[in-house]
Amino acid sequence: KGAWEFYARYSDLNLNDGAIDGGQMQVATLGLNWWLTPFFTVNVGYKYIWNEQYGEKAESSGLLTRLILVLE
């Protein structure tokens, strides 16, 4: 029952602007939506993040879950 939707996204961000040196960041996201009805959605997503600033490298990840109910 319902519909399934798979999504993927990649972002490459330059966080430097004028006097602000925020470095570089890349984010890869994979996720899955389940549309039980046109008004109710369950979402699960995973993000993996790479960041580099002043020659230092860092990595992070996170899991995202959402329940969406559209009220009219």
Side-chain angles (χ1 to χ4, degrees):
K1 183 168 178 135
W4 293 90
E5 176 183 45
F6 174 76
Y7 64 90
R9 179 176 60 198
Y10 178 79
S11 301
D12 189 4
L13 304 166
N14 180 350
L15 302 173
N16 299 321
D17 185 19
I20 298 174
D21 185 10
Q24 295 289 121
M25 183 169 68
Q26 294 82 34
V27 180
T29 306
L30 293 175
L32 183 67
N33 289 329
W34 176 40
W35 296 83
L36 180 61
T37 71
F39 305 104
F40 182 72
T41 306
V42 178
N43 171 266
V44 177
Y46 177 77
K47 292 186 179 218
Y48 195 80
I49 303 162
W50 301 268
N51 190 329
E52 183 174 350
Q53 182 181 20
Y54 305 123
E56 297 290 326
K57 295 182 180 182
E59 297 178 8
S60 180
S61 62
L63 181 67
L64 166 77
T65 59
R66 290 187 288 189
L67 298 175
I68 302 169
L69 177 62
V70 178
L71 302 174
E72 291 189 3

